[in-house]
Amino acid sequence: MEETFFILKPDAVKRGLVGEVLHRIERRGFQLTRLEQCQIERTTLEKHYSDLVDKPFFPSIADFMMSGPVIIGTLAGVGAVQAWRDMLGATDPAKAQAGTIRGDFALGAEPGQSLKNIAHGSDSLESARREISIWFGE
């Protein structure tokens, strides 16, 4: 059984999509093992996106991610990391298939703004462990 990390981003919270996304997680058979609403602090965000901090687009990511509350959590199940990524769909909502979370709900981005794609999911088991440690101090 694997455990992976997720963030339901400010756009998901503002648009009232948290329940729908959590429902999809549970309907798929995964167990929600941690769930918390929080306001992201920049220091935590910089640790999470350490590979992007020096990129010119990072300030727009930071502004978006700190623009409102988020839901952070973990889900567990067989093949959870890849299955969650598959459920999310392509990072770019314009390329996400219908039936995926991003394909069904994400709005994309306005010019010069950060991509609003509803949710984050760890891209590997190693990343999941690292992100769980950052966000939940484990």
Side-chain angles (χ1 to χ4, degrees):
M1 198 134 93
E2 290 180 357
E3 187 172 45
T4 193
F5 175 75
F6 67 88
I7 301 173
L8 302 185
K9 297 179 180 182
D11 53 333
V13 175
K14 286 177 187 171
R15 293 178 51 215
L17 297 172
V18 172
E20 176 64 33
V21 175
L22 295 178
H23 177 72
R24 287 185 182 206
I25 290 169
E26 291 180 322
R27 190 172 67 204
R28 178 73 186 260
F30 293 113
Q31 178 183 9
L32 291 165
T33 49
R34 293 177 194 82
L35 194 63
E36 182 180 313
Q37 181 174 328
C38 65
Q39 183 70 41
I40 293 178
E41 295 180 11
R42 189 172 185 100
T43 56
T44 305
L45 194 63
E46 288 174 352
K47 288 178 193 172
H48 179 87
Y49 288 119
S50 61
D51 58 330
L52 302 178
V53 171
D54 295 329
K55 303 287 185 190
F57 55 83
F58 182 74
S60 68
I61 291 173
D63 289 345
F64 168 61
M65 293 296 288
M66 295 186 306
S67 69
V70 299
I71 304 295
I72 59 172
T74 57
L75 60 95
V78 176
V81 173
Q82 188 58 53
W84 173 238
R85 300 280 296 180
D86 292 345
M87 289 173 66
L88 285 173
T91 302
D92 181 347
K95 297 177 182 173
Q97 297 290 316
T100 65
I101 291 165
R102 291 174 177 147
D104 291 350
F105 303 119
L107 299 176
E110 297 174 26
Q113 293 194 350
S114 182
L115 192 64
K116 294 184 171 97
N117 65 0
I118 302 295
H120 162 80
S122 303
D123 62 7
S124 68
L125 196 51
E126 180 181 287
S127 291
R129 290 181 182 131
R130 178 183 158 276
E131 292 170 0
I132 291 167
S133 175
I134 289 169
W135 292 91
F136 291 104
E138 299 173 13

